[in-house]
């Protein structure tokens, strides 16, 4: 027993110390790396704003054509309530649309993975959705669905759907051959294989698709709002942009533009965060 | 089941055979036309007695993995047949550990039972699962994820997953090829130990002659889809008598060197013709 105890201890301690070492490096490196990232991005931003400011002054551009960054900031501050409300509305539209796209995309992909015939028949139409310009179908959607929040969601879902369906479908077919053999060997049913192998494998791909679509969702929502908010209570960033364009309030317009960029980042961050918190075990590559 | 005595491969199939293969041929499409086909294995006859350990050796592309997949039922035959006479299940250990990265060690080892019996019956198998983990010395890492394990540990998880169904037939496809020599020997000894306590029939594919000799009762040298020669392993009996660290001792015996030479010569001869 006295001989065995230290061996037991050894066996247990070696892998654990390895785990701590890995986690320590993953904690320290990203912090310094994130700091470096933030610094370099900030330097570029400051430089860009400076160049912008100086060019406006040198070329004496009228405020209506291009205001200085400071004027944009002031306009943003003056309209802060409206901007925040509109951003919230647009964010909700984009987030709900992304969620709906993931649900519809997931169901479609699972159907495609189960039937080659259905996949062959319907997948080209999903690609077709991708090629249809949203600006072209938005008026049609308004005729069918009205000047409503719902219409903006439908338009945004159409934009987001393709990357998601494409990625999940790929993911469902990306199981490693040994894993497929393993499931066959133990007589797994089609259902068992889907739930225990294909779906878990595809989550990594879904997260990739959702990240791409998070950017598209904000774009889609704003473009849809250009059309939908025309004369309705539904006021998102797209509505503000069209209104301020009409009033030639270029400074406020640019402030809204800035907000829309932040929205894209926020949604991207949200998707990433959800992935990190809930799906790490599926996104890790062994 | 107890290891059966050595068996003449040329006799008719008997009740003693765990697996009988007759006139087995597997063809794969090899070109654009349907008539372009390549034979991975051709007209193979093989009997594997209950409890025997059979090693398939040969150069890559000689059809040994295809033959193993035929025995596993993962590859269908173009002609001929492959019959299993065992009542229990068949397990397969792949070249890579092939663990599901999103499942913990316990979840990976439990998978075959989940697939065969469904989740509801898991509780009745819980003690089997824990026993198997203990057998491969992994009970204290049951809650870890595969990425937290070393290569040797992953392979042991893979072996535990194969054993958890109490298989009658265990198939190994170059299972230790990616590991260093020391680990290879250790895992080989683990397999020998498990074979002694479980008494399953074992078929392994390897391109390592020493491994084939240390882990088998019979060595089949394959060449271009056929079994060139079947050799009874004289070392196998000696090893059964030896102690736990026998592999190192056996490697140093003249008998080992001699049989190594025989297998090696047959491999070269098969390559020349």
């Amino acid at each position: 027993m006295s001989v065995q105890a230290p061996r037991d201890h050894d066996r247990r301690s070696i892998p654990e110390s390895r785990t701590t070492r890995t986690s320590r490096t993953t904690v320290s490196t990203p912090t310094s790396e994130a700091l470096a990232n933030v610094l370099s991005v900030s330097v570029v931003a400051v430089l860009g704003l400076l160049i912008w400011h100086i060019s406006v002054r040198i070329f004496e551009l009228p405020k209506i054509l291009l205001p200085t960054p400071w004027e944009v900031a002031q306009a943003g501050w003056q309209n802060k309530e409206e901007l925040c409300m509109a951003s919230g509305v647009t964010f909700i539209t984009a987030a709900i649309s992304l969620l709906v796209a993931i649900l519809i995309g997931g169901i479609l992909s699972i159907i495609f993975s189960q039937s080659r015939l259905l996949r062959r028949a319907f997948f080209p139409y999903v690609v077709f959705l991708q090629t249809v310009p949203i600006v072209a179908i938005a008026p049609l959607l308004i005729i069918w669905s009205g000047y409503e929040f719902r219409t903006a969601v439908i338009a945004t879902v159409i934009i987001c759907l393709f990357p998601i369906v494409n990625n999940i479908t790929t993911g469902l077919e990306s199981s490693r051959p040994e894993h497929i053999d393993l499931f066959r060997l133990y007589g797994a049913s089609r259902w068992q294989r889907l739930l225990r192998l294909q779906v878990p494998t595809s989550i990594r791909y879904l997260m990739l698709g959702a990240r791409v679509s998070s950017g598209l969702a904000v774009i889609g929502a704003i473009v849809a709002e250009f059309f939908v908010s025309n004369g309705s209570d539904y006021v998102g960033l797209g509505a503000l942009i069209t209104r301020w364009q009409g009033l030639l309030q270029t400074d406020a317009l640019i402030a809204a533009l800035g907000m829309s960029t932040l929205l894209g980042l926020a949604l991207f961050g949200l998707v990433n965060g959800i992935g990190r918190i809930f799906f790490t075990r599926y996104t890790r590559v062994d | 089941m107890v290891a059966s005595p050595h068996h003449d491969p040329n006799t008719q199939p008997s009740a003693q055979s765990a697996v009988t293969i007759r006139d087995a041929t597997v063809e794969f499409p090899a070109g654009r036309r349907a008539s372009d086909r390549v034979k991975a294995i051709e007209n193979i006859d093989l009997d594997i007695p209950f409890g025997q350990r059979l090693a398939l050796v040969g150069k890559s592309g000689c059809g040994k993995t295809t033959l193993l997949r035929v025995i596993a039922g993962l590859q269908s035959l173009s002609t001929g047949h492959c019959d299993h006479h065992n009542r229990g299940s068949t397990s397969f250990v792949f070249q890579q550990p092939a663990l599901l990265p999103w499942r913990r060690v316990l979840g990976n080892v439990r998978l075959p039972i989940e697939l065969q019996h469904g989740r509801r019956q898991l509780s009745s198998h819980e003690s089997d699962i824990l026993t198997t983990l203990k057998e491969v010395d992994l009970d204290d890492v049951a809650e870890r994820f595969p990425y937290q394990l070393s290569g040797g540990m992953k392979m042991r998880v893979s072996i535990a997953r194969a054993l958890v169904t109490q298989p009658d037939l265990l198939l190994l496809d170059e299972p230790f090829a990616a590991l260093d020599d020391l680990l290879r020997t250790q895992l080989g000894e683990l397999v020998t130990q498990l074979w002694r306590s479980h008494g399953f029939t074992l078929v392994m594919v390897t391109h390592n002659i020493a491994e084939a000799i240390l882990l088998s009762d019979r060595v089949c040298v394959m060449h271009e889809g056929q079994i060139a020669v079947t050799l009874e392993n004289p070392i196998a009996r000696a090893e059964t008598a030896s102690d736990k660290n026998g592999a190192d001792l056996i490697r140093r015996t003249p008998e080992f060197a001699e049989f190594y030479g025989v297998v090696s010569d047959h491999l070269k001869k098969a390559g020349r013709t």
Side-chain angles (χ1 to χ4, degrees), chain A residues 11-12 15-16 18-19 178-179 181-186 188 192 196-197 200-201 281-282 284 286, chain B residues 69 72 74 91-92 94 98-99 101-103 112 114-116 119 137 140 144-145 147 150 154 161:
Chain A
R11 183 160 49 89
R12 214 163 295 157
E16 255 163 35
R18 192 155 40 84
T19 333
E178 309 95 86
H179 290 159
D181 279 346
L182 190 71
F183 276 66
R184 275 179 65 195
L185 193 71
Y186 293 112
Q192 282 177 321
R196 308 233 164 113
L197 180 61
T201 311
R281 61 161 72 182
Y282 299 104
R284 207 159 25 215
D286 183 31
Chain B
R69 291 175 61 83
L74 292 170
S91 282
F92 201 105
F94 300 90
L99 306 178
W102 55 87
R103 283 181 171 235
E114 266 181 58
L115 295 179
Q116 286 186 336
R119 273 213 172 128
D137 214 10
D140 49 354
R144 295 226 182 125
F145 282 104
Y147 82 99
S150 67
K154 280 186 208 168
R161 179 179 62 191

Short mmCIF file of all heavy atoms in Angstrom, two decimals, chain A residues 11-12 15-16 18-19 178-179 181-186 188 192 196-197 200-201 281-282 284 286, chain B residues 69 72 74 91-92 94 98-99 101-103 112 114-116 119 137 140 144-145 147 150 154 161:
data_model
loop_
_atom_site.label_atom_id
_atom_site.label_comp_id
_atom_site.label_asym_id
_atom_site.label_seq_id
_atom_site.Cartn_x
_atom_site.Cartn_y
_atom_site.Cartn_z
N ARG A 11 -0.07 9.73 -10.60
CA ARG A 11 -0.94 9.57 -11.75
C ARG A 11 -2.00 10.67 -11.76
O ARG A 11 -2.39 11.20 -12.78
CB ARG A 11 -1.58 8.19 -11.68
CG ARG A 11 -2.46 7.84 -12.80
CD ARG A 11 -2.61 6.32 -12.86
NE ARG A 11 -2.94 5.76 -11.55
CZ ARG A 11 -4.18 5.62 -11.12
NH1 ARG A 11 -5.17 5.98 -11.86
NH2 ARG A 11 -4.41 5.10 -9.94
N ARG A 12 -2.45 11.01 -10.56
CA ARG A 12 -3.51 12.00 -10.49
C ARG A 12 -2.97 13.40 -10.71
O ARG A 12 -3.60 14.23 -11.30
CB ARG A 12 -4.17 11.91 -9.10
CG ARG A 12 -5.64 12.20 -9.14
CD ARG A 12 -6.32 11.72 -7.88
NE ARG A 12 -6.27 10.28 -7.74
CZ ARG A 12 -6.37 9.66 -6.58
NH1 ARG A 12 -6.51 10.32 -5.46
NH2 ARG A 12 -6.34 8.34 -6.51
N PRO A 15 -1.73 15.02 -14.84
CA PRO A 15 -2.64 15.69 -15.77
C PRO A 15 -3.25 16.96 -15.18
O PRO A 15 -3.47 17.92 -15.90
CB PRO A 15 -3.73 14.65 -16.01
CG PRO A 15 -3.23 13.39 -15.43
CD PRO A 15 -2.21 13.75 -14.42
N GLU A 16 -3.45 16.98 -13.86
CA GLU A 16 -4.09 18.17 -13.28
C GLU A 16 -3.18 19.38 -13.40
O GLU A 16 -3.63 20.47 -13.72
CB GLU A 16 -4.46 17.91 -11.83
CG GLU A 16 -5.95 17.71 -11.67
CD GLU A 16 -6.30 17.07 -10.35
OE1 GLU A 16 -5.62 17.39 -9.36
OE2 GLU A 16 -7.25 16.28 -10.31
N ARG A 18 -1.11 19.85 -15.60
CA ARG A 18 -1.13 20.27 -16.99
C ARG A 18 -2.34 21.16 -17.27
O ARG A 18 -2.25 22.16 -17.96
CB ARG A 18 -1.15 19.04 -17.90
CG ARG A 18 -0.89 19.37 -19.34
CD ARG A 18 -0.32 18.19 -20.09
NE ARG A 18 -0.98 16.96 -19.69
CZ ARG A 18 -2.10 16.53 -20.19
NH1 ARG A 18 -2.69 17.21 -21.12
NH2 ARG A 18 -2.63 15.40 -19.77
N THR A 19 -3.48 20.77 -16.69
CA THR A 19 -4.70 21.55 -16.91
C THR A 19 -4.54 22.97 -16.38
O THR A 19 -4.91 23.93 -17.04
CB THR A 19 -5.91 20.90 -16.20
OG1 THR A 19 -5.67 19.54 -16.10
CG2 THR A 19 -7.18 21.19 -16.94
N GLU A 178 -14.94 7.95 -38.42
CA GLU A 178 -14.85 6.98 -37.31
C GLU A 178 -16.07 7.08 -36.41
O GLU A 178 -16.56 6.07 -35.89
CB GLU A 178 -13.63 7.24 -36.42
CG GLU A 178 -12.31 7.37 -37.12
CD GLU A 178 -11.99 8.82 -37.38
OE1 GLU A 178 -11.42 9.50 -36.52
OE2 GLU A 178 -12.33 9.27 -38.50
N HIS A 179 -16.56 8.31 -36.22
CA HIS A 179 -17.75 8.48 -35.38
C HIS A 179 -18.97 7.83 -36.04
O HIS A 179 -19.77 7.18 -35.39
CB HIS A 179 -18.02 9.96 -35.13
CG HIS A 179 -17.00 10.60 -34.21
ND1 HIS A 179 -16.78 11.95 -34.18
CD2 HIS A 179 -16.16 10.05 -33.32
CE1 HIS A 179 -15.82 12.20 -33.28
NE2 HIS A 179 -15.43 11.07 -32.76
N ASP A 181 -18.87 5.34 -38.13
CA ASP A 181 -18.66 3.90 -37.99
C ASP A 181 -19.07 3.42 -36.60
O ASP A 181 -19.71 2.37 -36.45
CB ASP A 181 -17.18 3.55 -38.20
CG ASP A 181 -16.82 3.48 -39.67
OD1 ASP A 181 -17.74 3.44 -40.49
OD2 ASP A 181 -15.62 3.47 -39.99
N LEU A 182 -18.68 4.20 -35.61
CA LEU A 182 -18.99 3.83 -34.23
C LEU A 182 -20.50 3.71 -34.02
O LEU A 182 -21.00 2.75 -33.42
CB LEU A 182 -18.43 4.93 -33.31
CG LEU A 182 -18.41 4.67 -31.83
CD1 LEU A 182 -17.35 3.63 -31.53
CD2 LEU A 182 -18.10 5.96 -31.08
N PHE A 183 -21.23 4.69 -34.55
CA PHE A 183 -22.68 4.67 -34.39
C PHE A 183 -23.30 3.50 -35.16
O PHE A 183 -24.25 2.88 -34.70
CB PHE A 183 -23.29 6.01 -34.82
CG PHE A 183 -23.26 7.04 -33.73
CD1 PHE A 183 -22.06 7.54 -33.25
CD2 PHE A 183 -24.43 7.48 -33.13
CE1 PHE A 183 -22.02 8.47 -32.23
CE2 PHE A 183 -24.42 8.41 -32.11
CZ PHE A 183 -23.21 8.91 -31.66
N ARG A 184 -22.74 3.21 -36.34
CA ARG A 184 -23.24 2.07 -37.12
C ARG A 184 -22.99 0.76 -36.39
O ARG A 184 -23.84 -0.13 -36.34
CB ARG A 184 -22.55 2.02 -38.48
CG ARG A 184 -23.21 2.89 -39.52
CD ARG A 184 -22.45 2.80 -40.82
NE ARG A 184 -22.52 1.46 -41.41
CZ ARG A 184 -21.72 1.04 -42.38
NH1 ARG A 184 -20.77 1.84 -42.84
NH2 ARG A 184 -21.84 -0.16 -42.87
N LEU A 185 -21.78 0.66 -35.83
CA LEU A 185 -21.36 -0.57 -35.15
C LEU A 185 -22.33 -0.94 -34.03
O LEU A 185 -22.63 -2.11 -33.82
CB LEU A 185 -19.96 -0.36 -34.59
CG LEU A 185 -19.21 -1.58 -34.12
CD1 LEU A 185 -18.80 -2.42 -35.31
CD2 LEU A 185 -17.97 -1.17 -33.35
N TYR A 186 -22.80 0.07 -33.30
CA TYR A 186 -23.70 -0.22 -32.18
C TYR A 186 -25.16 -0.10 -32.58
O TYR A 186 -26.03 0.04 -31.73
CB TYR A 186 -23.35 0.68 -31.01
CG TYR A 186 -21.99 0.36 -30.44
CD1 TYR A 186 -20.93 1.24 -30.56
CD2 TYR A 186 -21.76 -0.87 -29.82
CE1 TYR A 186 -19.67 0.92 -30.07
CE2 TYR A 186 -20.50 -1.20 -29.34
CZ TYR A 186 -19.47 -0.30 -29.46
OH TYR A 186 -18.23 -0.63 -28.99
N ALA A 188 -26.97 2.21 -34.05
CA ALA A 188 -27.71 3.42 -33.72
C ALA A 188 -28.80 3.69 -34.76
O ALA A 188 -28.58 3.45 -35.95
CB ALA A 188 -26.75 4.61 -33.67
N GLN A 192 -31.02 8.52 -33.31
CA GLN A 192 -29.91 8.58 -32.35
C GLN A 192 -28.69 9.24 -32.98
O GLN A 192 -28.01 10.04 -32.34
CB GLN A 192 -29.51 7.17 -31.90
CG GLN A 192 -30.44 6.57 -30.87
CD GLN A 192 -30.05 5.14 -30.53
OE1 GLN A 192 -29.64 4.37 -31.40
NE2 GLN A 192 -30.18 4.78 -29.27
N ARG A 196 -27.32 12.55 -31.27
CA ARG A 196 -26.10 12.38 -30.46
C ARG A 196 -24.83 12.66 -31.24
O ARG A 196 -23.77 12.77 -30.64
CB ARG A 196 -26.03 10.95 -29.92
CG ARG A 196 -27.27 10.55 -29.22
CD ARG A 196 -27.07 10.02 -27.84
NE ARG A 196 -28.37 10.05 -27.20
CZ ARG A 196 -29.04 8.98 -26.86
NH1 ARG A 196 -28.49 7.81 -27.02
NH2 ARG A 196 -30.22 9.08 -26.30
N LEU A 197 -24.92 12.67 -32.57
CA LEU A 197 -23.69 12.90 -33.34
C LEU A 197 -23.80 14.13 -34.25
O LEU A 197 -23.02 15.07 -34.13
CB LEU A 197 -23.35 11.65 -34.16
CG LEU A 197 -22.08 11.76 -35.00
CD1 LEU A 197 -20.88 12.00 -34.12
CD2 LEU A 197 -21.88 10.50 -35.83
N PRO A 200 -24.77 17.68 -32.34
CA PRO A 200 -23.64 18.23 -31.59
C PRO A 200 -22.47 18.66 -32.49
O PRO A 200 -21.84 19.68 -32.24
CB PRO A 200 -23.20 17.07 -30.69
CG PRO A 200 -24.39 16.22 -30.56
CD PRO A 200 -25.15 16.34 -31.84
N THR A 201 -22.21 17.89 -33.57
CA THR A 201 -21.12 18.28 -34.47
C THR A 201 -21.43 19.60 -35.15
O THR A 201 -20.54 20.41 -35.41
CB THR A 201 -20.90 17.22 -35.56
OG1 THR A 201 -20.82 15.94 -34.95
CG2 THR A 201 -19.62 17.46 -36.34
N ARG A 281 -18.28 23.31 -25.08
CA ARG A 281 -17.90 21.91 -25.27
C ARG A 281 -18.14 21.43 -26.70
O ARG A 281 -17.53 20.48 -27.15
CB ARG A 281 -18.64 21.01 -24.28
CG ARG A 281 -20.15 21.05 -24.41
CD ARG A 281 -20.77 19.85 -23.75
NE ARG A 281 -20.71 19.90 -22.30
CZ ARG A 281 -21.16 18.92 -21.53
NH1 ARG A 281 -21.66 17.83 -22.07
NH2 ARG A 281 -21.13 19.03 -20.23
N TYR A 282 -19.04 22.12 -27.40
CA TYR A 282 -19.32 21.71 -28.77
C TYR A 282 -18.41 22.42 -29.77
O TYR A 282 -18.25 21.98 -30.89
CB TYR A 282 -20.78 22.02 -29.15
CG TYR A 282 -21.74 21.27 -28.29
CD1 TYR A 282 -22.43 21.93 -27.27
CD2 TYR A 282 -21.96 19.92 -28.47
CE1 TYR A 282 -23.31 21.23 -26.45
CE2 TYR A 282 -22.83 19.22 -27.67
CZ TYR A 282 -23.49 19.89 -26.66
OH TYR A 282 -24.35 19.20 -25.87
N ARG A 284 -15.23 23.30 -29.13
CA ARG A 284 -13.84 22.94 -28.96
C ARG A 284 -13.46 21.86 -29.96
O ARG A 284 -14.19 20.90 -30.15
CB ARG A 284 -13.66 22.41 -27.54
CG ARG A 284 -12.28 22.62 -27.03
CD ARG A 284 -12.22 22.58 -25.53
NE ARG A 284 -13.27 21.82 -24.90
CZ ARG A 284 -13.82 22.14 -23.74
NH1 ARG A 284 -13.44 23.21 -23.11
NH2 ARG A 284 -14.76 21.38 -23.22
N ASP A 286 -11.16 18.81 -30.76
CA ASP A 286 -10.33 17.87 -29.98
C ASP A 286 -9.03 17.60 -30.72
O ASP A 286 -9.01 17.23 -31.86
CB ASP A 286 -11.09 16.54 -29.81
CG ASP A 286 -10.30 15.60 -28.95
OD1 ASP A 286 -9.57 16.08 -28.06
OD2 ASP A 286 -10.42 14.38 -29.16
N ARG B 69 -12.87 -4.33 -41.44
CA ARG B 69 -14.17 -3.67 -41.53
C ARG B 69 -15.25 -4.65 -41.99
O ARG B 69 -16.41 -4.51 -41.60
CB ARG B 69 -14.10 -2.47 -42.46
CG ARG B 69 -13.26 -1.31 -41.89
CD ARG B 69 -13.10 -0.19 -42.90
NE ARG B 69 -14.39 0.37 -43.28
CZ ARG B 69 -15.03 1.28 -42.58
NH1 ARG B 69 -14.49 1.76 -41.48
NH2 ARG B 69 -16.21 1.73 -42.97
N ALA B 72 -16.17 -6.47 -38.96
CA ALA B 72 -16.98 -5.60 -38.08
C ALA B 72 -18.39 -5.41 -38.62
O ALA B 72 -19.28 -4.96 -37.89
CB ALA B 72 -16.29 -4.25 -37.94
N LEU B 74 -18.91 -3.32 -41.04
CA LEU B 74 -18.94 -1.94 -41.50
C LEU B 74 -18.74 -1.84 -43.01
O LEU B 74 -18.95 -0.81 -43.61
CB LEU B 74 -17.84 -1.12 -40.80
CG LEU B 74 -18.03 -0.89 -39.30
CD1 LEU B 74 -16.78 -0.29 -38.69
CD2 LEU B 74 -19.24 0.00 -39.05
N SER B 91 -16.95 -5.12 -30.91
CA SER B 91 -16.47 -3.76 -30.67
C SER B 91 -15.26 -3.47 -31.53
O SER B 91 -14.56 -4.39 -31.94
CB SER B 91 -16.12 -3.55 -29.20
OG SER B 91 -17.29 -3.37 -28.46
N PHE B 92 -15.04 -2.20 -31.75
CA PHE B 92 -14.00 -1.78 -32.68
C PHE B 92 -13.20 -0.66 -32.04
O PHE B 92 -13.79 0.29 -31.52
CB PHE B 92 -14.70 -1.26 -33.95
CG PHE B 92 -13.85 -1.24 -35.19
CD1 PHE B 92 -14.03 -2.18 -36.18
CD2 PHE B 92 -12.89 -0.25 -35.37
CE1 PHE B 92 -13.26 -2.15 -37.35
CE2 PHE B 92 -12.12 -0.22 -36.53
CZ PHE B 92 -12.31 -1.17 -37.53
N PHE B 94 -10.58 2.18 -33.03
CA PHE B 94 -10.07 2.81 -34.24
C PHE B 94 -8.63 3.27 -34.06
O PHE B 94 -8.10 3.32 -32.95
CB PHE B 94 -10.94 4.01 -34.61
CG PHE B 94 -12.36 3.66 -34.86
CD1 PHE B 94 -13.28 3.66 -33.84
CD2 PHE B 94 -12.78 3.31 -36.14
CE1 PHE B 94 -14.60 3.33 -34.07
CE2 PHE B 94 -14.09 2.98 -36.38
CZ PHE B 94 -15.00 2.98 -35.34
N ALA B 98 -11.04 8.59 -31.46
CA ALA B 98 -12.39 8.86 -31.96
C ALA B 98 -13.39 9.08 -30.83
O ALA B 98 -14.50 8.55 -30.85
CB ALA B 98 -12.86 7.73 -32.89
N LEU B 99 -12.99 9.88 -29.84
CA LEU B 99 -13.92 10.21 -28.76
C LEU B 99 -14.78 11.39 -29.20
O LEU B 99 -14.35 12.21 -30.00
CB LEU B 99 -13.14 10.58 -27.50
CG LEU B 99 -12.12 9.55 -27.03
CD1 LEU B 99 -11.38 10.05 -25.81
CD2 LEU B 99 -12.81 8.24 -26.72
N PRO B 101 -15.83 14.83 -28.63
CA PRO B 101 -15.17 15.86 -27.81
C PRO B 101 -16.12 16.57 -26.85
O PRO B 101 -15.66 17.16 -25.88
CB PRO B 101 -14.59 16.84 -28.83
CG PRO B 101 -15.25 16.54 -30.12
CD PRO B 101 -15.73 15.13 -30.06
N TRP B 102 -17.41 16.53 -27.12
CA TRP B 102 -18.35 17.23 -26.24
C TRP B 102 -18.82 16.37 -25.07
O TRP B 102 -19.58 16.83 -24.23
CB TRP B 102 -19.56 17.74 -27.03
CG TRP B 102 -20.27 16.65 -27.79
CD1 TRP B 102 -21.25 15.84 -27.32
CD2 TRP B 102 -20.06 16.28 -29.15
NE1 TRP B 102 -21.64 14.96 -28.29
CE2 TRP B 102 -20.93 15.22 -29.43
CE3 TRP B 102 -19.21 16.74 -30.16
CZ2 TRP B 102 -20.99 14.61 -30.68
CZ3 TRP B 102 -19.26 16.13 -31.40
CH2 TRP B 102 -20.14 15.08 -31.64
N ARG B 103 -18.40 15.13 -25.03
CA ARG B 103 -18.78 14.28 -23.91
C ARG B 103 -17.61 14.07 -22.98
O ARG B 103 -16.47 13.95 -23.44
CB ARG B 103 -19.25 12.91 -24.43
CG ARG B 103 -20.64 12.96 -24.99
CD ARG B 103 -21.02 11.57 -25.45
NE ARG B 103 -22.41 11.54 -25.81
CZ ARG B 103 -23.29 10.68 -25.29
NH1 ARG B 103 -22.90 9.77 -24.43
NH2 ARG B 103 -24.54 10.72 -25.65
N PRO B 112 -21.89 3.41 -26.14
CA PRO B 112 -22.40 2.18 -26.76
C PRO B 112 -23.64 1.63 -26.05
O PRO B 112 -24.56 1.14 -26.71
CB PRO B 112 -21.23 1.20 -26.62
CG PRO B 112 -20.02 2.05 -26.52
CD PRO B 112 -20.46 3.28 -25.78
N GLU B 114 -25.84 3.41 -24.36
CA GLU B 114 -26.94 4.31 -24.71
C GLU B 114 -27.52 3.95 -26.06
O GLU B 114 -28.73 3.94 -26.26
CB GLU B 114 -26.42 5.75 -24.79
CG GLU B 114 -26.55 6.54 -23.53
CD GLU B 114 -26.02 7.95 -23.75
OE1 GLU B 114 -26.50 8.65 -24.65
OE2 GLU B 114 -25.10 8.31 -23.02
N LEU B 115 -26.62 3.66 -27.01
CA LEU B 115 -27.08 3.38 -28.37
C LEU B 115 -27.78 2.03 -28.45
O LEU B 115 -28.75 1.86 -29.18
CB LEU B 115 -25.90 3.41 -29.35
CG LEU B 115 -25.21 4.76 -29.52
CD1 LEU B 115 -24.05 4.65 -30.50
CD2 LEU B 115 -26.19 5.82 -29.99
N GLN B 116 -27.28 1.06 -27.67
CA GLN B 116 -27.87 -0.28 -27.77
C GLN B 116 -29.13 -0.44 -26.94
O GLN B 116 -30.04 -1.15 -27.33
CB GLN B 116 -26.83 -1.32 -27.35
CG GLN B 116 -25.76 -1.53 -28.40
CD GLN B 116 -24.81 -2.67 -28.05
OE1 GLN B 116 -24.66 -3.00 -26.88
NE2 GLN B 116 -24.18 -3.23 -29.06
N ARG B 119 -31.46 5.39 -23.23
CA ARG B 119 -31.04 6.08 -22.01
C ARG B 119 -31.69 5.52 -20.77
O ARG B 119 -31.13 5.58 -19.69
CB ARG B 119 -31.39 7.57 -22.13
CG ARG B 119 -30.28 8.33 -22.81
CD ARG B 119 -30.16 9.74 -22.29
NE ARG B 119 -28.95 10.32 -22.84
CZ ARG B 119 -28.91 11.48 -23.48
NH1 ARG B 119 -29.99 12.20 -23.60
NH2 ARG B 119 -27.78 11.93 -23.98
N ASP B 137 -7.96 1.84 -15.65
CA ASP B 137 -7.30 2.78 -14.76
C ASP B 137 -7.68 4.22 -15.04
O ASP B 137 -6.85 5.12 -15.03
CB ASP B 137 -5.78 2.61 -14.92
CG ASP B 137 -5.07 2.84 -13.60
OD1 ASP B 137 -5.77 2.93 -12.59
OD2 ASP B 137 -3.83 2.93 -13.60
N ASP B 140 -10.48 7.83 -12.04
CA ASP B 140 -10.35 9.16 -11.44
C ASP B 140 -10.39 10.29 -12.46
O ASP B 140 -10.26 11.46 -12.09
CB ASP B 140 -9.09 9.24 -10.57
CG ASP B 140 -7.85 8.72 -11.29
OD1 ASP B 140 -8.02 8.20 -12.41
OD2 ASP B 140 -6.75 8.84 -10.75
N ARG B 144 -13.57 14.20 -16.79
CA ARG B 144 -12.81 15.11 -17.67
C ARG B 144 -13.32 15.02 -19.10
O ARG B 144 -13.90 14.03 -19.52
CB ARG B 144 -11.34 14.71 -17.66
CG ARG B 144 -10.70 14.91 -16.32
CD ARG B 144 -9.35 15.59 -16.45
NE ARG B 144 -8.77 15.70 -15.13
CZ ARG B 144 -7.58 15.24 -14.81
NH1 ARG B 144 -6.84 14.67 -15.75
NH2 ARG B 144 -7.10 15.37 -13.61
N PHE B 145 -13.01 16.10 -19.83
CA PHE B 145 -13.29 16.09 -21.26
C PHE B 145 -12.07 15.55 -22.01
O PHE B 145 -10.94 15.65 -21.51
CB PHE B 145 -13.59 17.51 -21.75
CG PHE B 145 -14.98 17.97 -21.40
CD1 PHE B 145 -15.19 18.86 -20.36
CD2 PHE B 145 -16.06 17.48 -22.11
CE1 PHE B 145 -16.48 19.27 -20.04
CE2 PHE B 145 -17.35 17.89 -21.80
CZ PHE B 145 -17.55 18.78 -20.76
N TYR B 147 -10.23 16.68 -24.31
CA TYR B 147 -9.10 17.59 -24.54
C TYR B 147 -8.22 17.73 -23.30
O TYR B 147 -7.10 18.23 -23.39
CB TYR B 147 -9.62 18.97 -24.99
CG TYR B 147 -10.07 19.89 -23.87
CD1 TYR B 147 -9.22 20.89 -23.39
CD2 TYR B 147 -11.32 19.76 -23.30
CE1 TYR B 147 -9.62 21.73 -22.37
CE2 TYR B 147 -11.73 20.59 -22.28
CZ TYR B 147 -10.87 21.58 -21.82
OH TYR B 147 -11.27 22.39 -20.81
N SER B 150 -4.20 13.01 -22.01
CA SER B 150 -3.05 12.76 -22.88
C SER B 150 -3.45 11.73 -23.94
O SER B 150 -4.50 11.10 -23.84
CB SER B 150 -1.90 12.22 -22.05
OG SER B 150 -2.25 10.95 -21.56
N LYS B 154 -6.48 8.94 -23.80
CA LYS B 154 -7.59 8.93 -24.76
C LYS B 154 -7.76 7.53 -25.35
O LYS B 154 -8.88 7.05 -25.52
CB LYS B 154 -7.31 9.92 -25.90
CG LYS B 154 -7.60 11.34 -25.55
CD LYS B 154 -7.43 12.20 -26.79
CE LYS B 154 -7.04 13.59 -26.37
NZ LYS B 154 -6.58 14.42 -27.47
N ARG B 161 -14.43 2.14 -23.93
CA ARG B 161 -15.68 2.25 -24.66
C ARG B 161 -15.97 0.96 -25.43
O ARG B 161 -17.12 0.53 -25.54
CB ARG B 161 -15.61 3.44 -25.61
CG ARG B 161 -16.85 3.64 -26.43
CD ARG B 161 -16.74 4.83 -27.32
NE ARG B 161 -15.65 4.67 -28.28
CZ ARG B 161 -15.21 5.67 -29.06
NH1 ARG B 161 -15.74 6.86 -28.97
NH2 ARG B 161 -14.23 5.45 -29.90
#
